[in-house]
Amino acid sequence: MTRATWASLPRDLSTAVEARLGAPVAGAADQTGGFSPGVAARLTLTDGRRAFVKAVSPAQNPDSPHIHRAEARIAADLPRDVPAPRLLHSFEQDGWVVLAFEDVPGRHPVHPWDAEELRRVMVALGDLAVRLTPGPVAAPPAAERLAGSFGCWAELAAERNAGRDDLRGLDPWAAAHLEDLAALESGWPQALAGDTLAHGDLRADNILLTPDGRVVFVDWPWACTSTAWFDLLCMLPSIVMQGGPDPEGLFTDHPPARDADPAAVDAALAALTGMFLVHARRPAPPGLPTLRAFQRAQGEAALSWLRTRLSPTLRT
């Protein structure tokens, strides 16, 4: 993926950013991580202050401006004691959606995952679930937020049955158990009902480890109300694909997940796995050429975990 750069922004737009920040930009360090084609830059202002700015227009990707708007709404309402960057400004100009945050000094976790860094993140994630229960921000329930993303096994089975999809490229076990997976995922809306505000898209590139020992969670456009264990469930496939340990052990040892209903976890995990693997077979969205490979890798990790949780008659 090639992100737009700070230098590539229209001059009128960068001037508008400077006006809102209250000083000219002395330097910009473009950030390359994540899956947005828009600008992401750490700015140093002439008065020594710093800010992190994100900007995107439909020219990079037609859906990305909507995602930035959703992030602005959530970020503006997050309580100040939530470990997330503070939103300084958000505005729209000439089709661009611009967000300016405090610049949090820190770095993403290394991968392969370091055991101590993973421990820090797991503790922080548990604390976050406690802090965000009940959810302090108005956000859609998971059943609404994920209605267009989950339920993919059933959609794929319907396409196969109609003769419009030969399942080419799908994992052979998943292809052989497609109807079972569709049935298993069907309970995901009920499984994910809860009053915790979930981040909804946690991965290493949405986490910052600061020099003073904090763990900060960034990029909140997919926030929704769900179960206290939903964020961990979503994050574990990426942890595994980036060299982390057994997902089942991490899940069952996590305080918010210890009392989770196994059937609810299976339904949610099946739906998550289907989203990754079915979407990975689709053409890449505009401006996001690496997304499908990343989804496939997460899907393969999720499927392997799911199979260990199923009854012996379904595992083979």
Side-chain angles (χ1 to χ4, degrees):
M1 178 187 68
T2 301
R3 274 188 178 274
T5 64
W6 172 258
S8 73
L9 282 178
R11 182 56 190 161
D12 287 349
L13 191 66
S14 58
T15 298
V17 172
E18 292 175 326
R20 283 166 173 79
L21 293 177
V25 172
D30 292 308
Q31 307 299 295
T32 59
F35 289 94
S36 169
V39 173
R42 282 177 152 163
L43 305 181
T44 302
L45 307 180
T46 55
D47 61 7
R49 291 180 296 121
R50 302 180 64 87
F52 178 78
V53 170
K54 302 167 68 169
V56 74
S57 77
Q60 284 82 49
N61 178 276
D63 295 323
S64 292
H66 303 296
I67 296 171
H68 275 36
R69 293 185 189 107
E71 181 174 5
R73 288 192 295 271
I74 295 294
D77 291 340
L78 283 175
R80 293 193 65 84
D81 61 345
V82 173
R86 303 280 74 77
L87 180 69
L88 304 176
H89 303 280
S90 66
F91 68 95
E92 299 191 30
Q93 180 174 310
D94 300 328
W96 288 83
V97 181
V98 183
L99 284 66
F101 292 91
E102 65 171 334
D103 183 43
V104 176
R107 59 170 177 81
H108 301 305
V110 299
H111 54 84
W113 275 85
D114 172 79
E116 175 55 24
E117 289 187 1
L118 182 57
R119 186 199 65 78
R120 284 175 60 189
V121 170
M122 290 297 100
V123 170
L125 188 56
D127 293 342
L128 185 69
V130 172
R131 172 63 187 86
L132 296 180
T133 306
V137 173
E144 177 183 330
R145 172 67 81 193
L146 298 168
S149 300
F150 280 14
C152 289
W153 293 124
E155 294 174 8
L156 184 58
E159 290 295 295
R160 187 273 313 275
N161 294 342
R164 292 188 293 265
D165 197 314
D166 62 5
L167 307 186
R168 184 175 305 171
L170 186 66
D171 176 88
W173 181 89
H177 293 83
L178 185 55
E179 300 292 346
D180 296 318
L181 290 167
L184 184 61
E185 76 174 356
S186 64
W188 75 263
Q190 297 76 28
L192 291 179
D195 65 348
T196 298
L197 180 70
H199 178 284
D201 192 30
L202 281 185
R203 307 180 304 266
D205 57 285
N206 284 338
I207 296 171
L208 291 175
L209 306 178
T210 70
D212 61 1
R214 291 180 299 146
V215 177
V216 179
F217 301 96
V218 306
D219 294 348
W220 289 74
W222 303 110
C224 60
T225 55
S226 187
T227 65
W229 46 263
F230 179 54
D231 273 335
L232 178 60
L233 182 92
C234 290
M235 187 177 176
L236 280 171
S238 70
I239 290 177
V240 173
M241 67 168 280
Q242 292 173 334
D246 168 53
E248 185 69 14
L250 282 178
F251 189 80
T252 56
D253 287 345
H254 196 58
R258 286 174 185 162
D259 296 326
D261 177 6
V265 175
D266 289 346
L269 180 56
L272 179 70
T273 304
M275 181 190 71
F276 285 142
L277 290 180
V278 175
H279 285 197
R281 300 172 68 242
R282 299 174 181 174
L288 302 174
T290 62
L291 177 62
R292 297 310 189 205
F294 194 80
Q295 288 175 328
R296 177 177 295 278
Q298 290 183 95
E300 290 171 351
L303 184 65
S304 177
W305 179 24
L306 178 63
R307 289 181 65 178
T308 69
R309 293 181 57 89
L310 298 181
S311 66
T313 57
L314 285 179
R315 291 178 191 168
T316 57

